Amino acid sequence: MGLYVNPGNFAFREAINSAVYVDKTALISYTNSVLNTKQKYVCVSRPRRFGKSMAADMLTAYYSHGCSSAALFSGRKAEREKDFATHLNQHNVIRLDIQQFLESECDLETFIAEIEKTVTEELQEMFPECRGLEPGIRLKTALNKIFIQTGNGFVFVIDEWDCAFRVAKNRQDIQKIYLDFLRGLFKGQDYVELAYMTGILPIKKYGEHSAVNIFDEFSMIDPAELAGLFGFTEEEVHELCDQKGIDFSEFQKWYDGYVLNGIHVYNPKSVVDVIRHKKFKSYWTGTETYEALKIYIDLNFDGLKEAVISMLGNVPHKVNTRKFQNDMTSFKTKDDVLTLLVHLGYLAYDETDGTVMIPNQEIAHEFLNAVEEPGWDGLIQSLKRSENLLINTWALNENAVAEEMQAIHNETASILKYNDENSITCTILMAYYSAKKYYLNPVLEMPSGKGFADVVYLPKRNINRPALVVELKWNNSAKGAIAQIRERQYASWIENYTGDILLVGISYDEKKGHQCVIEKHKKMI
């Protein structure tokens, strides 16, 4: 047993002995199915705290010659698979955590050589019968010699594979050298039985250097069949709640929101921390600080701040993820930044309609922390006004709503630069931020009657609140907005869906400021 070649099962043993353990051994069924096939190259990218390292430790414990793990897998899901016993502790494993070799920028020039040196030294000790494993030999050369002379192949399990791209953000030379190292280690090599890599980012796109393109990638953008194997599924969280006597609905409110291939996935670290500490709150800052998020949302790309505001208002934002270069520096548009935030776990991606949104209350707290800074002046004050504005809307207090809207306008003018109807829409979403407690995601331009209502809020099930049909006018009158709602029958589409309906007309005139008219909708008999 070595540190890197055929290591033990200590890390996985710790995981299953912990106070909270969820069985994710079904992953082994997939890796066994691709073992020694053209699909043997697997790269899984997930945000921090989503169980990537635990999965790597599990695969190491299962495949490694260096330990006996039958007892650890007894009763687990993987044990029920027909080929489970065939591969249990029957393979040579090389287990690497790249972060151990690359703790800071000081290691950038030497970390690859250090990996090759430490691993080849262990190979020399474990295969003394093999000829030609002299000191200083390249790792891929040593592996080829062992394979040719003994027939032994290797399972590679590499954690934090993308660490180089995070530490060497601005060193493209180092990034390319690292990709060349991985390409040489894996591509076309007969000694590879399985190469399993995991990290935060998908594989970096570098033209010809994306030649690590032999890997099938499973990411937060495209999780494919591994969607439910990383993070805790809704069913698994529900079961934990039943076991521990915890309110599942609170878990949903705080931590639900990542939906991968139709499967609701929860952040394991947050779930475990709630169970351990008996308190619902944001646990994100335990491993990630809001400064990391702030750096990205402060980038001055056109429309980025408006996108953040709309998502704080619970509205998904359309995004093109295809041009993202899978690194933390090559940003050309706001879509690149938003795509990175998906991979970092700050946003959830809906593959069906190509939109992103803030997934849950935990992450919303991190966004709110990040915008309590210069450059976002007035936003927090505006969001704090939201509850009063909502109460005044329900009370049909038109003057109070108009005054609150005017105040929000003044507080956020530097962010939104009020000059069009899109800016008014952002203001409305910000103003009704508190609506997320009582309403489903607001629908923008809902097709209703003979046209499109600007914003519609439908109450959540079992919430006794009126639906809101909001029409916005720029340099026009609030009365005209209400007249348009009535004439075009915007409320007719939802009459059978909900109880009471309020029609809300809001206008902004550069000279008169904000005006508001609110009416109760009279349903057609």
Side-chain angles (χ1 to χ4, degrees):
M1 183 176 71
L3 284 175
Y4 308 106
V5 181
N6 289 333
N9 54 25
F10 304 113
F12 183 56
R13 185 184 300 274
E14 283 186 353
I16 64 174
N17 287 339
S18 298
V20 179
Y21 170 74
V22 172
D23 184 357
K24 310 302 288 189
T25 61
L27 174 64
I28 292 171
S29 176
Y30 178 79
T31 55
N32 279 347
S33 73
V34 299
L35 202 68
N36 288 313
T37 71
K38 293 295 185 182
Q39 291 73 46
K40 62 187 176 183
Y41 303 99
V42 179
C43 182
V44 172
S45 57
R46 290 288 186 275
R48 289 195 185 281
R49 317 174 328 143
F50 263 73
K52 299 186 302 297
S53 295
M54 191 283 291
D57 294 334
M58 176 186 71
L59 293 178
T60 300
Y62 173 68
Y63 286 113
S64 177
H65 267 320
C67 54
S68 178
S69 301
L72 298 182
F73 289 97
S74 178
R76 312 289 176 199
K77 294 176 182 177
E79 191 183 38
R80 299 194 282 268
E81 300 296 325
K82 62 180 181 179
D83 56 356
F84 172 80
T86 304
H87 300 290
L88 177 63
N89 300 131
Q90 296 301 309
H91 296 263
N92 293 301
V93 172
I94 295 179
R95 167 74 158 94
L96 299 174
D97 183 342
I98 302 301
Q99 195 164 257
Q100 292 180 354
F101 296 90
L102 192 51
E103 296 178 355
S104 70
E105 293 184 18
C106 299
D107 301 319
L108 286 175
E109 308 293 340
T110 60
F111 81 100
I112 294 176
E114 185 65 19
I115 290 172
E116 296 212 83
K117 176 177 179 294
T118 54
V119 177
T120 54
E121 285 177 353
E122 287 196 11
L123 289 171
Q124 290 160 2
E125 292 178 6
M126 292 189 178
F127 296 94
E129 73 279 13
C130 288
R131 302 180 304 278
L133 301 184
E134 65 275 359
I137 190 173
R138 292 293 305 274
L139 176 56
K140 65 179 181 180
T141 304
L143 292 169
N144 268 313
K145 286 182 178 293
I146 292 169
F147 179 73
I148 291 170
Q149 295 179 48
T150 69
N152 285 310
F154 292 84
V155 168
F156 294 83
V157 180
I158 301 181
D159 198 10
E160 301 284 358
W161 88 270
D162 60 333
C163 179
F165 298 98
R166 290 182 271 124
V167 177
K169 288 182 180 179
N170 301 307
R171 291 287 305 274
Q172 291 194 4
D173 57 329
I174 297 294
Q175 294 177 17
K176 290 180 178 179
I177 290 171
Y178 178 54
L179 285 174
D180 283 339
F181 166 68
L182 294 177
R183 177 174 53 182
L185 187 62
F186 296 133
K187 192 166 187 179
Q189 301 290 10
D190 293 333
Y191 56 71
V192 178
E193 295 180 334
L194 172 71
Y196 178 91
M197 299 200 308
T198 185
I200 296 174
L201 296 174
I203 292 172
K204 166 71 179 170
K205 299 175 183 177
Y206 251 143
E208 66 190 70
H209 285 85
S210 52
V212 204
N213 57 8
I214 51 176
F215 279 82
D216 285 335
E217 296 193 63
F218 304 85
S219 72
M220 296 297 282
I221 300 292
D222 186 9
E225 59 263 52
L226 301 189
L229 296 179
F230 295 89
F232 292 168
T233 65
E234 186 170 78
E235 292 76 13
E236 289 165 344
V237 176
H238 212 304
E239 185 175 345
L240 286 172
C241 287
D242 291 342
Q243 292 172 3
K244 307 294 183 179
I246 299 176
D247 184 0
F248 175 67
S249 64
E250 280 295 300
F251 263 110
Q252 286 182 303
K253 182 173 71 176
W254 272 92
Y255 310 109
D256 191 11
Y258 302 101
V259 183
L260 309 180
N261 277 4
I263 299 172
H264 287 249
V265 175
Y266 290 67
N267 187 316
K269 179 66 165 55
S270 298
V271 173
V272 170
D273 283 346
V274 170
I275 292 173
R276 289 179 60 230
H277 304 302
K278 310 299 182 187
K279 188 174 182 179
F280 290 95
K281 66 173 188 175
S282 174
Y283 291 98
W284 194 266
T285 51
T287 53
E288 290 281 335
T289 59
Y290 78 89
E291 287 91 347
L293 173 60
K294 182 181 182 304
I295 289 171
Y296 297 115
I297 67 174
D298 276 352
L299 290 171
N300 192 26
F301 289 118
D302 183 46
L304 181 56
K305 289 188 174 182
E306 286 84 350
V308 170
I309 289 170
S310 69
M311 289 187 292
L312 281 170
N314 231 30
V315 176
H317 188 81
K318 201 79 174 177
V319 65
N320 180 356
T321 64
R322 294 187 297 276
K323 295 183 179 180
F324 180 58
Q325 294 298 301
N326 296 347
D327 65 20
M328 294 183 165
T329 54
S330 303
F331 304 125
K332 295 181 180 179
T333 68
K334 75 173 186 297
D335 285 352
D336 293 335
V337 178
L338 296 175
T339 304
L340 173 62
L341 294 181
V342 173
H343 291 298
L344 294 177
Y346 287 114
L347 295 176
Y349 178 68
D350 187 335
E351 189 177 7
T352 58
D353 60 8
T355 59
V356 293
M357 68 180 302
I358 298 171
N360 50 47
Q361 191 167 321
E362 180 182 42
I363 303 302
H365 274 252
E366 298 309 309
F367 271 90
L368 292 177
N369 285 336
V371 299
E372 285 185 324
E373 298 287 340
W376 295 85
D377 296 334
L379 180 57
I380 295 299
Q381 296 92 315
S382 298
L383 295 178
K384 287 178 179 177
R385 293 179 184 275
S386 177
E387 188 75 26
N388 283 336
L389 186 141
L390 193 58
I391 291 170
N392 284 318
T393 302
W394 293 334
L396 280 66
N397 192 338
E398 299 169 341
N399 290 335
V401 171
E403 289 174 6
E404 294 283 4
M405 290 297 301
Q406 186 66 49
I408 292 171
H409 175 179
N410 294 336
E411 289 163 352
T412 60
S414 62
I415 300 176
L416 296 177
K417 300 179 178 61
Y418 280 71
N419 57 6
D420 59 23
E421 293 187 32
N422 288 333
S423 295
I424 280 207
T425 302
C426 274
T427 308
I428 292 295
L429 297 174
M430 190 188 311
Y432 284 105
Y433 170 76
S434 293
K436 63 173 64 181
K437 299 178 186 177
Y438 314 98
Y439 293 88
L440 302 172
N441 293 347
V443 182
L444 302 186
E445 296 191 339
M446 173 180 277
S448 307
K450 302 175 182 177
F452 295 85
D454 283 336
V455 187
V456 174
Y457 288 91
L458 297 175
K460 294 179 179 178
R461 184 175 298 179
N462 300 323
I463 295 291
N464 185 24
R465 292 290 185 269
L468 306 179
V469 178
V470 185
E471 181 67 21
L472 312 172
K473 289 296 180 184
W474 180 59
N475 280 347
N476 209 318
S477 71
K479 289 183 179 180
I482 289 290
Q484 182 171 318
I485 294 175
R486 288 199 305 262
E487 290 168 5
R488 300 188 181 181
Q489 302 174 20
Y490 288 168
S492 62
W493 190 85
I494 60 173
E495 283 184 349
N496 295 325
Y497 177 85
T498 184
D500 293 338
I501 301 172
L502 295 184
L503 312 182
V504 184
I506 296 176
S507 66
Y508 171 65
D509 184 283
E510 294 180 66
K511 295 180 179 179
K512 298 178 182 179
H514 287 84
Q515 295 179 326
C516 176
V517 175
I518 307 173
E519 291 184 1
K520 287 187 177 180
H521 173 63
K522 296 179 180 179
K523 295 184 180 181
M524 297 179 66
I525 300 175

